[in-house]
Amino acid sequence: MSLAVVVRVSAVSLNTGRLSPGPSNDTSAHWQQEGQVPFQRWPPSPPPSDVPCSLASSRISRSFLLKTWLRYCHIVRRTDRGRSAGQAQYPAVTPATMVLLAAAVCTKAGKAIVSRQFVEMSRTRIEGLLAAFPKLMNTGKQHTFVETESVRYVYQPMEKLYMVLITTKNSNILEDLETLRLFSRVIPEYCRALEESEISDHCFDLIFAFDEIVALGYRENVNLAQIRTFTEMDSHEEKVFRAVRETQEREAKAEMRRKAKELQQARRDAERQGKKAPGFGGFGSSGGSSISSNAAALITENIMEPEKTKSAPIPTRPSGANKALKLGAKGKEVDNFVDKLKSEGETIVTPAAGKRPSDAAKVLPPPANVESVHLKVEEKISLTCSRDGGLQNMEIHGLIMLRVTDDKFGRIRVHVDNEDKKGVQLQTHPNVDKKLFTSDSLIGLKNPEKSFPLNSDVGVLKWRLQTTDEALIPLTINCWPSESGTGCDVNIEYELQEDKLELNDVAITIPLPVGVGAPVIGDIDGDYHHDSRRNTLEWTLPVIDSKNKTGSLEFSIAGHPNDFFPVTVSFVSKKNYCNLQVTKVTQVDGNSPVRFSIETSFLVDKYEIL
């Protein structure tokens, strides 16, 4: 609460709850001109007031007036005590004696991306100071600060950006440099890359963190871990409340299902006996029967719908018998409700796409040019491995699907090159000539006169590999949690054992203990993302191939070794694991080659380290 104000509350009438204007004081203008703040000895007398008559005559609650007066007395008392004792912890809070005026992240050209002012300063003023900053730096000389007649710039380069603190000239340069280092360490905590777009996306997170570092122009005694804890605002009570609410919702849904089944059973029994279905009391005989049957069906369908962030509006009771609830009109009502949620800014997840964003993204884009003969080779891996290194089970299922869109290429044969040495079990489609495939590795129909179906994906060959041999694991994950005095030091490393593979969009997810905050990241290859809602740490790597076969991640957090399992892995690849390749496609008549396109993908069905 600033003391350099002209309009203040004078006499407080607790009987009427009104503001009454007090006598004016001509010295207030002099104080404001000189940039000083008037101080009064304790207890302070009611301060002067320049309150307009409209405000003075307005009704204000008694509690608000009392709180305002007590807060004013508390600040005057604290400031006066600091001045009389000569203590530095209670300085005069004026713009003229402020130490840190603003903290900003700007470009090399002086364009402000994020700026937090700790004094009253207009946008034009701060933009002008930052625009003049690059012109003041001397090229060829290394400095950490530069001064003008009124302010001092303390800065640190960060790739293509600058972290700049604007201070008064009488500030302590050593304390400013220490504050600058803390500001520079905060930015990578919220931004993965030091780029203008990334800073803009996390601008509010940075401003909240800046407010934890500096208050009223002076640095707070906080470190990076405390800032992270303060800004995260993790609440154990909130988690308990959410858990209780979810339990109540599950119990309510179970009760709804039971009631819906009872209603449907009663309706079926009534129809079997030739009687009218029982209705709700007070609705009458005919209208009640219609509402009962349709309401039961409506309840059942509502249970099967995915959970939404907002509840759907409750349908009102129809006024007549012909306006009973109709099952056929429900789809339109749901669509209208979904459109309304979208217009309010809500994110709607459809049941088909109701997966995690990281899982939904693990799909390779379709090829740009698709020929009349298109082949799709797809493999999926399901792996369960022990944290001690033993492979419990690994299964790989592969499938070749053929799609023909031109009838002149219906009678064709697919040449497959099988160089597998891992023990893959092959199986052809019942309509495919098995002898021809066994002898010549050709996929063709048993009846050469017939054609493959048009415009449909036909699975012509599938294979399966099941093993417990650790040497066949494509990507090994080694997780070593070690207990220390303050928690656990976790080291995780990966190693690619299949050199021919190229894994893209790799995500290694490590569970974290509940209610202990964010981990402290040490050395890391790649990037990471801490999800405080799901209590997980996601280690992401864009590509893992023969050039970067190994990598590691180190972090520290409170917890026990069992808290960091199971570790899950997801990735995609454009190269299949088993050595089965489609080399060419030829026509049955004449054995002439046919142009074809191929799409290969290697996906993860389950990849866990228990």
Side-chain angles (χ1 to χ4, degrees), residues 379-415:
E379 284 185 337
K380 290 186 179 180
I381 182 172
S382 177
L383 182 143
T384 304
C385 187
S386 173
R387 67 183 71 176
D388 300 326
L391 178 60
Q392 297 181 5
N393 186 35
M394 185 179 86
E395 288 187 10
I396 293 180
H397 296 271
L399 178 65
I400 295 180
M401 288 185 290
L402 174 65
R403 184 181 183 89
V404 180
T405 58
D406 194 343
D407 56 355
K408 66 180 180 180
F409 299 129
R411 298 174 59 244
I412 56 175
R413 288 175 177 172
V414 180
H415 297 249

Side-chain angles (χ1 to χ4, degrees), residues 406-573:
D406 194 343
D407 56 355
K408 66 180 180 180
F409 299 129
R411 298 174 59 244
I412 56 175
R413 288 175 177 172
V414 180
H415 297 249
V416 179
D417 187 9
N418 184 7
E419 297 181 358
D420 180 74
K421 298 179 181 178
K422 301 182 179 70
V424 173
Q425 300 176 1
L426 301 173
Q427 184 178 359
T428 59
H429 191 276
N431 292 334
V432 172
D433 192 346
K434 189 174 182 179
K435 294 181 180 180
L436 180 64
F437 177 76
T438 305
S439 59
D440 301 331
S441 297
L442 294 177
I443 298 177
L445 295 178
K446 290 182 178 179
N447 188 355
E449 301 300 325
K450 289 186 177 182
S451 302
F452 283 100
L454 295 178
N455 299 318
S456 63
D457 294 326
V458 180
V460 293
L461 178 66
K462 62 181 180 181
W463 59 93
R464 176 175 175 267
L465 172 64
Q466 184 175 9
T467 182
T468 56
D469 188 359
E470 298 180 19
L472 298 181
I473 299 177
L475 183 69
T476 59
I477 306 295
N478 193 359
C479 182
W480 281 80
S482 302
E483 287 188 290
S484 60
T486 57
C488 272
D489 297 329
V490 184
N491 296 305
I492 301 179
E493 59 181 5
Y494 70 85
E495 181 179 1
L496 182 67
Q497 296 195 144
E498 289 288 335
D499 294 341
K500 69 180 184 65
L501 286 179
E502 179 181 326
L503 309 181
N504 301 310
D505 299 333
V506 182
I508 302 173
T509 305
I510 306 103
L512 299 178
V514 179
V516 296
V520 179
I521 305 298
D523 296 334
I524 181 174
D525 296 323
D527 295 325
Y528 74 94
H529 172 64
H530 173 232
D531 192 337
S532 58
R533 292 175 179 259
R534 288 194 291 262
N535 294 306
T536 58
L537 177 65
E538 190 174 81
W539 179 19
T540 58
L541 300 108
V543 178
I544 295 179
D545 54 12
S546 58
K547 296 180 181 179
N548 58 335
K549 296 176 57 176
T550 60
S552 61
L553 164 66
E554 298 179 4
F555 66 91
S556 301
I557 193 173
H560 302 284
N562 291 332
D563 295 334
F564 307 101
F565 294 94
V567 178
T568 60
V569 183
S570 63
F571 56 81
V572 294
S573 178

Side-chain angles (χ1 to χ4, degrees), residues 37 51 95 129 179 184 239 247 277 333 379 384 496 523 570 584 593:
V37 177
V51 182
L129 290 173
T179 306
S184 302
K239 292 180 179 178
T247 303
E333 294 175 1
E379 284 185 337
T384 304
L496 182 67
D523 296 334
S570 63
K584 62 179 179 178

Side-chain angles (χ1 to χ4, degrees), residues 144-259:
T144 55
F145 70 95
V146 63
E147 292 184 351
T148 64
E149 295 180 357
S150 57
V151 296
R152 175 188 295 151
Y153 299 92
V154 186
Y155 64 92
Q156 178 175 333
M158 298 187 304
E159 296 182 4
K160 298 181 181 180
L161 307 175
Y162 279 115
M163 179 69 227
V164 184
L165 302 184
I166 303 177
T167 69
T168 56
K169 295 183 69 174
N170 58 352
S171 64
N172 190 330
I173 185 64
L174 296 180
E175 293 182 0
D176 293 341
L177 292 175
E178 186 66 26
T179 306
L180 177 64
R181 280 192 288 269
L182 184 57
F183 272 100
S184 302
R185 291 176 61 195
V186 161
I187 294 177
E189 287 292 320
Y190 298 95
C191 304
R192 297 187 179 183
L194 297 177
E195 298 176 354
E196 182 176 349
S197 59
E198 190 74 12
I199 298 291
S200 300
D201 292 341
H202 299 84
C203 59
F204 288 104
D205 296 332
L206 294 176
I207 288 176
F208 295 151
F210 289 175
D211 286 343
E212 299 295 338
I213 300 175
V214 176
L216 297 176
Y218 292 88
R219 178 186 168 182
E220 297 285 339
N221 187 17
V222 293
N223 53 34
L224 190 61
Q226 290 174 324
I227 294 171
R228 191 186 301 115
T229 303
F230 295 157
T231 54
E232 190 178 67
M233 294 187 293
D234 190 20
S235 173
H236 176 69
E237 289 78 5
E238 181 184 359
K239 292 180 179 178
V240 172
F241 170 75
R242 290 180 180 274
V244 171
R245 187 177 66 178
E246 290 174 0
T247 303
Q248 292 175 347
E249 289 177 353
R250 286 195 296 268
E251 292 175 353
K253 288 182 180 180
E255 182 67 17
M256 288 172 61
R257 293 189 185 95
R258 189 180 65 81
K259 290 289 186 183

Side-chain angles (χ1 to χ4, degrees), residues 263-284:
L263 291 172
Q264 290 180 347
Q265 184 63 33
R267 179 168 57 85
R268 284 195 293 265
D269 293 343
E271 291 176 353
R272 227 180 270 119
Q273 297 174 5
K275 299 179 181 180
K276 294 182 179 180
F280 299 107
F283 280 94

